[in-house]
Amino acid sequence: MILTVTLNTALDITYRVRALRPHSTHRVSEVSERPGGKGLNVGRVLAALGHEVTVTGFSGGATGRVVRDRLAESAGVVDALVPVEGPTRRTIAVVDTTTGDTTQLNEPGPAITPAEWAAFQETYEHLLRSASAVALCGSLPPGVPVGAYAQLVRTARALAVPVLLDTSGEPLRRGVAARPDVVKPNAEELAELTGSHEPLQATRNARRRGAHTVVASLGANGLLAHTPEGHWRATPPVRTHGNPTGAGDSAVAGLLSGLVENLDWPARLTRAVALSAATVAAPVAGEFDRALYENLLTRVTVTTEATAA
């Protein structure tokens, strides 16, 4: 079983409009709702790839009940969310169908009490005992300690469970110091962590801070990986147009599934890039265009990167 953690779960709402213009009234042509938050998106993609998945994190209020009801419809995903008093947040994506651009609005999330945080940690440690790998994903809701991910990384390492961390800001900085197996920042998050805007230098610096492996997401330019086994760049053959929401989460699913299947790094990166691009072509996060994914698996380019020691 693969475990994904989403401390700040959400109900993802996607509006599609013909053209998004500030200070204007818009008619929405299509509305979709999905369980959201990075780890839930990762979990749905992993399940679609045929893996057994359990998702945990927090869920509360009427929005949380909708999230859990929708999760029950997701084949292959086991719900182990921890109930809380505060309401689960909503995220709003507005897709301009003319340009393909997406505007994202993210609520902060419920305030988590010390008792709720303690209950989650107990659930997390119990679930880890039957997990083959764990992904720690996304932002922290109010009330959760800023060092939460560092603590969760240490718990996973103590139980010898490989852990992938995908977050940003101070939670990322502290989490990296706890020595996760993989971190997957985007270029902006990596620059903020290391102070370097040159990706090769930045990935090397992030490893020096404690990460075993760093896989940097470069958007339409693919992935850059700095690992103990080597350094690679994986690039899609063409730029995919559509909704980029969830593309990074699909990349995490590709990396994590490759890890538990013992694929080599070029194969893991190929899968991650293909899934990411195929997610951009899908209407909502947590889904991917399977035909495009299978086509891209044979067309992603992986090259060795030379970098100073």
Side-chain angles (χ1 to χ4, degrees):
M1 176 269 286
I2 299 176
L3 178 64
T4 75
V5 173
T6 314
L7 295 178
N8 212 2
T9 55
L11 180 65
D12 283 348
I13 303 169
T14 302
Y15 295 137
R16 301 181 74 84
V17 299
R18 183 175 180 181
L20 181 62
R21 297 186 179 90
H23 317 298
S24 300
T25 299
H26 298 79
R27 291 189 180 276
V28 177
S29 61
E30 182 182 340
V31 180
S32 62
E33 292 184 347
R34 293 289 189 279
K38 295 177 73 65
L40 268 61
N41 294 335
V42 172
R44 291 204 304 278
V45 174
L46 284 168
L49 293 172
H51 288 274
E52 295 181 3
V53 182
T54 297
V55 298
T56 190
F58 296 114
S59 175
T63 307
R65 287 193 293 274
V66 175
V67 167
R68 302 192 84 160
D69 288 345
R70 296 295 174 86
L71 270 179
E73 301 168 0
S74 299
V77 177
V78 175
D79 174 3
L81 295 173
V82 175
V84 295
E85 184 69 22
T88 294
R89 65 184 179 137
R90 297 163 299 177
T91 66
I92 311 296
V94 183
V95 179
D96 183 319
T97 59
T98 300
T99 65
D101 293 334
T102 300
T103 299
Q104 192 80 18
L105 303 172
N106 295 337
E107 295 179 356
I112 305 301
T113 68
E116 290 166 344
W117 173 235
F120 169 79
Q121 291 177 82
E122 183 176 343
T123 296
Y124 173 70
E125 184 169 349
H126 171 74
L127 292 169
L128 277 177
R129 297 185 184 279
S130 56
S132 56
V134 58
L136 309 175
C137 303
S139 62
L140 301 179
V144 172
V146 70
Y149 282 134
Q151 185 174 350
L152 299 181
V153 168
R154 288 191 290 268
T155 301
R157 288 180 56 83
L159 294 171
V161 178
V163 55
L164 184 153
L165 177 61
D166 183 15
T167 188
S168 60
E170 186 65 13
L172 174 61
R173 190 184 70 81
R174 297 197 187 193
V176 165
R179 304 186 66 80
D181 294 272
V182 183
V183 294
K184 194 216 70 64
N186 61 32
E188 181 179 347
E189 293 161 351
L190 186 62
E192 182 182 2
L193 173 67
T194 65
S196 174
H197 291 272
E198 200 291 305
L200 279 173
Q201 179 68 36
T203 55
R204 183 179 67 181
N205 290 349
R207 284 200 66 216
R208 286 176 171 171
R209 290 172 178 263
H212 186 71
T213 287
V214 180
V215 180
S217 176
L218 306 179
N221 293 320
L223 297 173
L224 177 66
H226 190 138
T227 85
E229 292 80 21
H231 317 104
W232 292 276
R233 186 183 296 267
T235 309
V238 294
R239 183 185 182 97
T240 304
H241 296 281
N243 181 3
T245 305
D249 306 331
S250 290
V252 168
L255 296 172
L256 208 59
S257 61
L259 185 156
V260 300
E261 294 173 30
N262 294 313
L263 300 182
D264 61 22
W265 271 107
R268 295 185 204 183
L269 296 169
T270 295
R271 179 180 292 181
V273 168
L275 279 171
S276 181
T279 296
V280 173
V284 293
E287 298 180 2
F288 61 94
D289 183 317
R290 186 170 290 273
L292 178 59
Y293 163 64
E294 293 175 352
N295 176 273
L296 289 173
L297 281 175
T298 61
R299 300 172 62 206
V300 171
T301 300
V302 181
T303 56
T304 301
E305 290 287 320
T307 182

